[in-house]
Amino acid sequence: MKKLFSILTLMGGLAIPALAQTEESNWYTTLSSMDSSQLTLLIILGVVLVVIVLLLILMVYLMSFMAAVFKKENPALANEPSWWDSFKERFVTGKLDAVGGKEEKAKMMSDHSYDGITELDNFMPPWLQWVFIGTIGFAVIYFVDYTVLGTGLTGEEEYQEELRLEAIAAEARKANMLAGIDETTVVFDESAPSLSAGKSIFESNCAACHAADGGGGVGPNLADEYWIHGGSIQDVFKIVKYGVVEKGMIPWQDQLSPEQIQQVSSFILSLKGTTPAAPKAPQGELFSASPAPAEAAPVTDSTAVVATIE
């Protein structure tokens, strides 16, 4: 069981960097963007991986069990190290000298003694040697990839690529936000690009009934303070979107996008207070964007002294 626990610990230590890397790459976002077929394939691969790990653990246990059986049947094998001990000695710890033994005393460096503590001239453990060799190999590959072949991205190139991807993601978020505009989320956009786009839409689709300057014709005057169906941005957006069929105004939701309806609604409200060439008589009710302030009560001086005539 101790050997099995050691193997599991080693596997867990190797898995920690992979888990950290997965977390840094925002695995949840990637997982949520997968469709059902991709998720099914991922689950199948996960099950296969778990089965493989369980088979490896079972194989290690069987090998340990068989080694114990062979040692019992052949006493000569009892003094031989197990395969796990041989593996540790060759690749992990190296051969350890007995404490106070002849080999350890031969490695003592008498000139490196401080307060009775003597340094031993030990070799690097095998795992550290393999790590060192691995760093050399990685350095060679890194140098060839970035300097000789030039296929690897530099820090500046990676930064620019991240900016490019974020710009694409920002455009996608903006498109989703604009596509979700309705009569409850619409806002008055008085920016120059929005009003310019709204003016073009108005002149192409609305000027025939409301005149190019909004003075009205078949439809009502859009430049005065009077509105039939309300004069807020939400009211105008709703009328443009759903129309007023009984009055002859068609719904524009099938021909204009939510962003375009917001633009033309904002342009219509920007006409308020202008002077059309031939304004139509006001229709509807006077609309005020904010309620009139309540009349202030007269202020009295509580410290005033009332004079009386006797």
Side-chain angles (χ1 to χ4, degrees):
M1 290 301 294
K2 291 183 179 180
K3 296 176 181 179
L4 183 60
F5 179 76
S6 301
I7 295 174
L8 293 177
T9 304
L10 180 61
M11 294 175 62
L14 295 176
I16 288 176
L19 292 176
Q21 183 178 3
T22 305
E23 184 178 358
E24 292 175 357
S25 61
N26 200 356
W27 60 270
Y28 180 77
T29 303
T30 305
L31 188 64
S32 60
S33 63
M34 293 182 177
D35 54 23
S36 57
S37 60
Q38 292 175 330
L39 287 175
T40 303
L41 180 60
L42 184 63
I43 293 174
I44 293 175
L45 292 177
V47 172
V48 172
L49 181 61
V50 171
V51 172
I52 293 175
V53 172
L54 292 177
L55 289 177
L56 289 175
I57 295 174
L58 180 60
M59 185 181 300
V60 171
Y61 176 76
L62 290 177
M63 291 177 64
S64 301
F65 178 76
M66 293 175 62
V69 172
F70 289 153
K71 287 182 178 180
K72 288 184 178 181
E73 293 182 353
N74 189 355
L77 299 176
N79 297 326
E80 293 185 2
S82 64
W83 67 271
W84 175 246
D85 295 332
S86 301
F87 176 83
K88 287 196 301 181
E89 181 178 341
R90 183 173 181 181
F91 297 103
V92 182
T93 61
K95 185 177 181 180
L96 299 177
D97 299 327
V99 178
K102 183 187 300 183
E103 293 82 1
E104 186 182 61
K105 291 181 179 180
K107 293 180 180 179
M108 286 186 180
M109 303 174 66
S110 57
D111 55 337
H112 287 201
S113 179
Y114 303 94
D115 295 335
I117 302 175
T118 305
E119 183 179 355
L120 297 178
D121 187 15
N122 287 323
F123 293 100
M124 285 194 303
W127 69 269
L128 188 56
Q129 296 179 15
W130 286 112
V131 170
F132 180 69
I133 294 173
T135 56
I136 295 176
F138 178 81
V140 171
I141 297 175
Y142 187 91
F143 178 80
V144 172
D145 186 33
Y146 282 87
T147 305
V148 179
L149 301 179
T151 56
L153 296 178
T154 63
E156 177 66 20
E157 291 171 341
E158 290 181 353
Y159 175 71
Q160 295 299 331
E161 179 66 14
E162 289 292 334
L163 291 181
R164 185 185 69 84
L165 295 177
E166 178 56 30
I168 296 175
E171 288 295 330
R173 290 194 299 268
K174 181 180 178 181
N176 292 334
M177 181 179 64
L178 294 176
I181 296 176
D182 57 15
E183 54 272 21
T184 61
T185 60
V186 63
V187 294
F188 175 66
D189 189 357
E190 57 182 348
S191 63
S194 175
L195 294 180
S196 177
K199 181 180 180 181
S200 300
I201 298 171
F202 184 87
E203 293 175 348
S204 301
N205 302 284
C206 310
C209 295
H210 296 279
D213 55 5
V218 177
N221 185 354
L222 301 177
D224 57 22
E225 301 288 340
Y226 291 83
W227 296 84
I228 301 174
H229 303 284
S232 67
I233 184 64
Q234 292 81 9
D235 297 327
V236 177
F237 184 94
K238 186 186 300 183
I239 293 300
V240 177
K241 180 178 180 180
Y242 299 110
V244 185
V245 180
E246 61 272 15
K247 297 291 185 177
M249 179 176 176
I250 64 173
W252 291 95
Q253 60 180 340
D254 296 331
Q255 303 181 47
L256 300 177
S257 67
E259 181 186 12
Q260 291 175 321
I261 297 178
Q262 176 178 264
Q263 291 169 345
V264 71
S265 300
S266 299
F267 174 75
I268 291 172
L269 290 181
S270 71
L271 296 174
K272 184 185 299 185
T274 60
T275 305
K280 190 176 180 179
Q283 295 175 277
E285 298 179 356
L286 181 64
F287 177 82
S288 177
S290 59
E295 184 177 354
V299 179
T300 59
D301 187 0
S302 60
T303 62
V305 177
V306 179
T308 59
I309 299 177
E310 298 181 352

